[in-house]
Amino acid sequence: KQTLLPLLREEISSFIFPCSPALQRPERQYMVMELLRCIPLLLFLLFVCGLDHFIFSILSIIQHHSFIEYSYQTSHHLSVNVMGSSLMAELLRGTIGALNTSYDTEVETSNFACLPQPTGMTRQQYLHTCLPLGVLVLLCLAQVYPFRLRRAIAAFYFPKREKTRVLFLYNKLLRQRKNFLQLQRGRLARQARLPPTLGASLLQWCRRRWPWLRRYLRRSCTLCGTPETPQHLPCPNPDCGALYCESCW
């Protein structure tokens, strides 16, 4: 509850507000870790696509530059002429004449059947291959919003456990603020013991000499470093001159 324990500026970055549409710091850290896990898949996918294109290029070169076509032509003519009109001549013409042959042979062949026939992937196929990885990346970006429902679901089924968690968080914040206040007091005390630098002294003198420069030469909160606004409060000690924002004050 904002009325019970208003968060300081340093504490806001460590909490997740379910109604905020923006990605918050703890969610961004978890999202970056999930995206880093997708990098090996992306590298593997690029390697596979590159290897596929390389093999296709090699096979395509072999197909176009290793094609050989053979053409074989031959002719054969055999004719036996037996002269004469005797019985023996007639007998020879009837037997040996059957050997008379004549044929022409023309053969054309190639090594086309032995060559590889590669088929390259289209852009649509590459897109369908990379689509699951793209969906995975989108899920890594959008999963932070469903994860915010985990606490609400757990609080609905285990209200006593939720009350214990809230009390633990409240006491933890109070302890952190107490320790933070002690640490900052020690830091500011050490900083106050140091002599002012030349730039700070010159800036302070310009602000006192020309009050209209205060609009441009704005100071910042000594504790959290927020730029000066009308809500900032100076230290009542005239020898201090430190400036604090409303929450730090």
Side-chain angles (χ1 to χ4, degrees):
K1 297 294 184 179
Q2 291 292 333
T3 57
L4 179 63
L5 188 67
L7 296 178
L8 300 179
R9 184 187 178 192
E10 294 79 8
E11 298 171 343
I12 292 178
S13 60
S14 60
F15 284 88
I16 298 177
F17 299 93
C19 298
S20 177
L23 294 178
Q24 298 160 54
R25 183 177 179 181
E27 295 175 330
R28 286 197 298 267
Q29 294 177 353
Y30 183 78
M31 183 187 66
V32 169
M33 294 301 298
E34 292 295 329
L35 291 177
L36 290 178
R37 294 178 183 177
C38 296
I39 292 180
L41 296 177
L42 177 61
L43 296 178
F44 176 75
L45 184 61
L46 293 177
F47 172 76
V48 170
C49 292
L51 182 63
D52 172 79
H53 181 71
F54 174 75
I55 295 177
F56 169 74
S57 301
I58 295 299
L59 295 180
S60 180
I61 293 175
I62 294 175
Q63 180 189 16
H64 289 86
H65 296 276
S66 299
F67 178 74
I68 300 176
E69 185 176 9
Y70 301 92
S71 180
Y72 177 75
Q73 295 180 354
T74 181
S75 60
H76 179 75
H77 300 279
L78 177 62
S79 177
V80 178
N81 297 322
V82 180
M83 307 300 293
S85 58
S86 63
L87 180 61
M88 183 59 68
E90 292 293 336
L91 181 61
L92 291 176
R93 275 195 294 269
T95 55
I96 299 178
L99 299 176
N100 294 339
T101 57
S102 177
Y103 60 88
D104 296 327
T105 303
E106 183 176 354
V107 179
E108 292 184 359
T109 184
S110 64
N111 63 342
F112 181 78
C114 301
L115 294 177
Q117 307 296 328
T119 303
M121 294 178 60
T122 61
R123 291 184 178 180
Q124 187 175 5
Q125 291 174 335
Y126 278 115
L127 180 61
H128 290 168
T129 305
C130 300
L131 186 61
L133 183 61
V135 174
L136 180 61
V137 172
L138 292 179
L139 289 177
C140 293
L141 298 177
Q143 69 179 352
V144 295
Y145 298 104
F147 280 177
R148 294 179 183 179
L149 300 176
R150 293 180 297 180
R151 181 201 148 272
I153 296 173
F156 178 78
Y157 287 102
F158 305 99
K160 294 183 179 180
R161 184 65 176 176
E162 175 69 9
K163 182 179 179 181
T164 304
R165 294 178 68 250
V166 171
L167 292 176
F168 173 79
L169 178 62
Y170 180 78
N171 295 325
K172 178 183 176 182
L173 280 177
L174 292 181
R175 290 193 301 269
Q176 288 179 350
R177 288 188 181 184
K178 182 179 179 180
N179 297 333
F180 176 77
L181 183 61
Q182 294 176 356
L183 292 176
Q184 294 300 327
R185 279 179 176 174
R187 184 180 67 85
L188 294 179
R190 291 190 300 270
Q191 184 177 352
R193 297 189 189 98
L194 298 176
T197 60
L198 180 60
S201 302
L202 182 60
L203 183 63
Q204 190 68 19
W205 181 81
C206 292
R207 287 173 57 87
R208 290 195 304 266
R209 183 67 176 80
W210 298 290
W212 56 273
L213 288 178
R214 296 179 181 178
R215 181 181 302 178
Y216 307 100
L217 302 177
R218 293 193 303 172
R219 295 187 297 172
S220 59
C221 176
T222 310
L223 194 60
C224 63
T226 55
E228 181 182 4
T229 60
Q231 286 74 26
H232 279 58
L233 301 174
C235 181
N237 188 353
D239 298 332
C240 179
L243 189 68
Y244 300 94
C245 64
E246 186 176 5
S247 59
C248 294
W249 178 256

